Amino acid sequence: ADTEGETPQESATKQFRRDGITAEIATWEETLEFIAGQSGKVVVLDAWSTYCEPCIKEFPNLVALQKQYADQIVCISFNVNYIGLEDTPPESDSDEILDFLSQQKSELHNVISGTADEKFYEATDLGSIPAVFVYGTDGKLKKRFDNAELEFGEEGFTYKQHIIPLIEKMLAENAVK
């Protein structure tokens, strides 16, 4: 690996910054390890792409959710633009991704997937994005929102109608414990 100009800590994780927004390249497995380390907090992971209209439309709601419950939840923006081609590594779309994250003021844990999209879909048994994974305070997956099932109607799931009510219910249950 070419690590010229990098300190040893930086060579393990590639990070990109713009306007105070940071995004890092991480595999799906590394992201699951990060989630496991968020003990005691609800984690919301939004898998999205700059090529996905419904993802882009709902993204501001992920940012708002993190702001509203900053002390109780961790929101992860997991970008799956990377398709696994050798000549287009995960960082190929980093400018476009950072432009979007900066416009959204996404001060979340922003990840550019180092796992090719098809491998991510296989690992999660997911047909396509948008998809939102909600993990409980124990680190276990509580619910996955995707539009494969018609559970959410023709319009698909939304933060307002589906995700936020679940988060509020989970936080209320945690407060009672």
Side-chain angles (χ1 to χ4, degrees):
D2 179 17
T3 57
E4 186 178 330
E6 292 181 50
T7 63
Q9 296 88 354
E10 289 172 328
S11 63
T13 306
K14 280 192 176 176
Q15 286 198 335
F16 303 89
R17 290 180 189 275
R18 175 165 308 139
D19 302 328
I21 304 298
T22 303
E24 70 178 30
I25 293 178
T27 64
W28 177 242
E29 291 76 20
E30 290 167 333
T31 304
L32 289 175
E33 287 173 22
F34 175 81
I35 292 167
Q38 304 308 305
S39 174
K41 292 197 176 203
V42 170
V43 177
V44 178
L45 180 140
D46 191 317
W48 67 282
S49 164
T50 55
Y51 310 118
C52 168
E53 290 274 332
C55 302
I56 300 298
K57 183 179 168 207
E58 282 294 317
F59 197 92
N61 296 307
L62 175 70
V63 174
L65 183 65
Q66 178 67 63
K67 282 192 170 107
Q68 185 173 354
Y69 297 105
D71 297 338
Q72 298 164 287
I73 68 172
V74 174
C75 289
I76 302 170
S77 134
F78 190 80
N79 177 278
V80 294
N81 277 23
Y82 175 52
I83 59 171
L85 298 177
E86 205 173 304
D87 61 345
T88 54
E91 59 270 20
S92 296
D93 287 352
S94 61
D95 283 342
E96 179 184 359
I97 294 165
L98 273 172
D99 283 346
F100 177 76
L101 293 172
S102 180
Q103 289 166 4
Q104 299 299 316
K105 297 179 179 33
S106 178
E107 297 173 356
L108 316 172
H109 184 76
N110 297 304
V111 177
I112 298 171
S113 179
T115 301
D117 61 352
E118 288 303 319
K119 288 195 178 358
F120 164 72
Y121 293 139
E122 285 173 26
T124 57
D125 192 28
L126 184 65
S128 67
I129 52 174
V132 175
F133 300 76
V134 179
Y135 296 84
T137 54
D138 58 0
K140 291 187 170 66
L141 182 63
K142 177 94 170 168
K143 181 154 179 70
R144 179 176 88 187
F145 294 86
D146 66 62
N147 292 329
E149 305 296 320
L150 293 177
E151 173 185 354
F152 306 112
E154 282 183 33
E155 295 299 310
F157 69 85
T158 65
Y159 275 83
K160 186 176 181 182
Q161 286 184 289
H162 305 102
I163 298 167
I164 292 170
L166 174 64
I167 300 297
E168 289 174 343
K169 181 177 179 231
M170 290 170 69
L171 293 175
E173 288 169 0
N174 291 338
V176 172
K177 287 181 186 174

